[in-house]
Amino acid sequence: MVTVAPVRRTPRRVQGSSTRRWVGWGFLAPFAVVFVFTLIAPIAYAVNLSLFQERLIGGTVFAGLDNYRFALRDPQFREALWRVVLFFLVQVPVMLAVSAFAALALDSARLRWSALYRISLFLPFAVPGVIAALMWGFVYGTDFGLVGNLNSTFGLSLPDLLSSRWVLAAMANISTWAFLGYNMLVMYSALRTVPRELYESAAIDGAGTFRVVRSIKLPAMRPAFVITLVFSVIGSFQLFNGPNILRTLSPNTIGTNFTPNMYAFNLSFAGQQYNYAAAIAIIMGVLTAVVAYVVQVAGIRNGGAR
Amino acid sequence: MLRTRTTGARRVPTVIAAAAAAALLTLTGCSGPQPGGGAAEATGQEQFTQADIDAALQEPTELTFWAWGAQYPSVVEAFNAAHPDVKVTLASQGSGSDHYTKLQNVLKAGSGVPDVVQLEYSVMPQFALGESLVDLGQYGVDSMQADFSESCWQGSKVDDALYGLPQDAGPLAMFYRQDVFDQFGLTVPTTWDEYVQTAQQLKAADPSRFIAADAGDPGAASALIWQAGGRPFQVEGERVSVDLADPGSTTWADNWQRLIDGDLVDTATPGFTPEWNAGLASGKYATLVTGAWAAGTLQRRIPDAAGAWRVAPLPQYGSGTAVSGQTGGSVSSVMATSEKKLAAIGFVQWMAANAESAQIWVDEGGFPCTSATLASPEWLDREVPYFGGQQINRIFAESAEQVGEGWAFLPFQAYANSVFPDTVGQAYVKQTDLQGGLRDWQETITTYGESQGFTVE
């Protein structure tokens, strides 16, 4: 009897705890199923694709890391990558600075009809990227477009914004226009969470407007800066829609490898090099995740140091 | 600060997930199971006769047909009316590269493949090599050779196998603005030297006008290299030879370079864009050197310019026998995966060679491949009001007979054409010259060909 009781109790305990463990999975299942099928499975498939080479002559062969090795030495891929890095370094600071200014202006309570400004600045974000690119394509046209009309009406000679000299700036303009309002809104909502009492205390302490901005508002916007910066990293590295549409207007200046994504797209759909394109997409995905992570960690660390 | 840290730390996985998801956007289109080498033709042993094909058109059958040519809706409608048992559904997947991208995707996915497709001569070899097309010779369709012009027929074959029936062609001609030529007292050029001189005169008289718009177009460049006697691509099974520095290619490059150097062509406006349309409508461009099918294109895209355009024979490189080239033009091919091949072949035969279909084709501005139409006085003598009542078909028909022999396209021409702007296109933005651009193009083509398992020399 003495020996039987613990034996009986042990399986019961195991049974009970395992049930409890499965209950947890059950709650997780709706998320897990979606997560596995929409994220893990496609990535696994892409990784698998990237390890092979399918040829018009000779069929499919296992290539190991050959596609990755080739990509790292591929001058066309490097050129594309360098271009989006340059884009990120120039466009993002400008866009975030203007967004921050707009957010501070809206929050200053000195604007009449601030709701109107808020919605107007945000409106471009609601325009689908494809439509926006088409619209700007018409604006930039030197013959058919707005630039052309300005030239002929006022006798100006505005430069061709889709020439190789200006094309990157033209793209940056479209991105800034499209995402300024969105970033502004993220920063503005961060400002709205600052307790009003803080401003009152600051006023009692004799802080002026600029002191309040520097010591209260900007620090309060830090998390918003970090998150908008992270989104901008992703947006810049994955640049595709705008240049791909404007390419029809200026195929010689916007090449098939203008951005890494366009390069992968052309390789895959014009060149049927699905495997190499998959390798490039994986490299870009990893690179984007790493940069975004570094930005995030750096943002938190500096915030903690204050 | 503590709040900042926790929200930040929680966000990190989200960030990585978002980045990874964004990376995947480029991949979603690449998925799909392996089609197992494109379902090779398995019916080779059986012998089919025309009677079998005709019988198949009496059975209730539904066919899907992918094409973008402007004449196809009327042709398909007429076919359906003439064949109560067969119902052909026409679907347009966009023109040119969009169409081929869709086709490649469904072939890769192995489902949703149409029964019949429109393929340009330049792209057909690629799908033939992928074993995606039915060799019509196995169904006795070779016997129709006499129904078509020689250049159309040759364009429908790869390595002596017939992969489609020719539907239209693009023998080169020079379209020009009579009003602009009159206004500036220009004479219609008959040689390329004269063409350059005319361009200079026009430029001197009105700097805002150009002899033509050309931002670099692989189809047009190939056609003019073809005319100059260049045969840069040769294909023999898995061996491909590429020589874009052959005498013909060099002749074209030297000639065309003069137009670019003198800013005589508008290099900032690619074809088929709104800007290009506007330029053709306003007389900014005095000529348009392209395939005969452009007669229909002009009438549809720029109806307002009726009466302003005329057609002249293609300018020549020398004073000897006139030679022409070809751009565009297409065949109708039956897909190897089709389960209704006999009816599909019957449909293709009717579309390509039936008199009613041929009539609709030319009535709607298409250029014919059928020998009967090409020789018919009714068609040749037709005075087209849009072109000031000119008998334009005579010029096109003459050009069709002058098309040089022995031209071949690469078995991966679609890819080669996609990288033309990256290479030869750089000469149009003055980063290099045309000969340098052609060298770069050759290099890219060679690298790609080798990576695809071809022996390239």
Side-chain angles (χ1 to χ4, degrees), chain A residues 45-46 54-57 141 143-144 227 248-249 251-252 255-256 261 266 269-274 281 285 293 296 303, chain B residues 1 8 11-12 15 23 26-27 31-32 104-105 108 126 215 238 270 273 275 284 415 418 421-422 425-426 448 451-452:
Chain A
Y45 181 70
E54 189 190 342
R55 298 171 171 180
L56 286 168
I57 303 289
D143 203 18
F144 186 79
I227 198 69
T248 51
L249 298 177
N252 298 327
T256 55
N261 272 6
N266 193 57
F269 293 119
Q272 294 167 285
Q273 290 178 317
Y274 307 102
Y293 183 74
Q296 176 89 33
Chain B
M1 285 310 113
R11 229 179 264 134
V12 171
V15 164
T26 47
L27 282 171
S31 0
Q104 266 159 15
N105 286 351
K108 189 112 179 85
Q126 181 164 334
E238 298 174 10
T273 57
E275 298 251 316
K284 181 180 178 183
Y415 178 77
S418 81
D422 301 350
Q426 296 310 302
Y448 179 82
S451 79
Q452 290 292 343

Side-chain angles (χ1 to χ4, degrees), chain B residues 115-328:
Chain B
D115 298 292
V116 179
V117 289
Q118 174 190 4
L119 294 172
E120 282 166 287
Y121 296 112
S122 56
V123 178
M124 189 269 281
Q126 181 164 334
F127 288 98
L129 185 86
E131 295 179 345
S132 306
L133 310 179
V134 171
D135 175 2
L136 298 178
Q138 297 185 350
Y139 294 82
V141 181
D142 317 50
S143 61
M144 293 176 77
Q145 177 162 6
D147 291 347
F148 303 100
S149 76
E150 185 60 21
S151 61
C152 289
W153 186 257
Q154 291 309 327
S156 313
K157 299 179 98 169
V158 177
D159 273 354
D160 244 29
L162 184 69
Y163 288 108
L165 285 180
Q167 189 64 39
D168 70 336
L172 293 176
M174 185 181 78
F175 298 80
Y176 67 98
R177 291 282 298 228
Q178 181 72 59
D179 52 344
V180 176
F181 271 64
D182 286 347
Q183 186 186 342
F184 296 99
L186 307 173
T187 46
V188 178
T190 59
T191 67
W192 286 114
D193 284 338
E194 288 175 19
Y195 187 82
V196 174
Q197 283 161 19
T198 310
Q200 285 161 342
Q201 286 168 22
L202 179 66
K203 171 103 183 163
D206 183 351
S208 73
R209 291 178 200 265
F210 296 93
I211 192 71
D214 182 22
D217 170 42
S222 301
L224 292 176
I225 288 173
W226 185 341
Q227 184 207 8
R231 296 292 179 268
F233 312 125
Q234 293 298 330
V235 185
E236 217 175 297
E238 298 174 10
R239 300 171 74 84
V240 175
S241 73
V242 184
D243 184 5
L244 283 159
D246 72 353
S249 306
T250 309
T251 304
W252 169 75
D254 289 345
N255 175 56
W256 214 256
Q257 189 67 50
R258 296 188 285 172
L259 295 168
I260 295 175
D261 287 345
D263 293 323
L264 304 173
V265 284
D266 179 5
T267 55
T269 307
F272 301 93
T273 57
E275 298 251 316
W276 180 76
N277 254 358
L280 289 178
S282 70
K284 181 180 178 183
Y285 310 129
T287 72
L288 172 66
V289 175
T290 188
W293 42 261
T297 310
L298 284 174
Q299 293 181 55
R300 270 190 308 278
R301 286 181 84 107
I302 312 159
D304 295 345
W309 288 93
R310 295 290 182 278
V311 182
L314 184 66
Q316 295 294 312
Y317 285 104
S319 52
T321 322
V323 186
S324 186
Q326 182 153 245
T327 181

Side-chain angles (χ1 to χ4, degrees), chain A residues 220-235:
Chain A
M221 284 162 80
R222 168 175 290 280
F225 269 124
V226 173
I227 198 69
T228 50
L229 197 56
V230 166
F231 283 140
S232 302
V233 168
I234 299 171

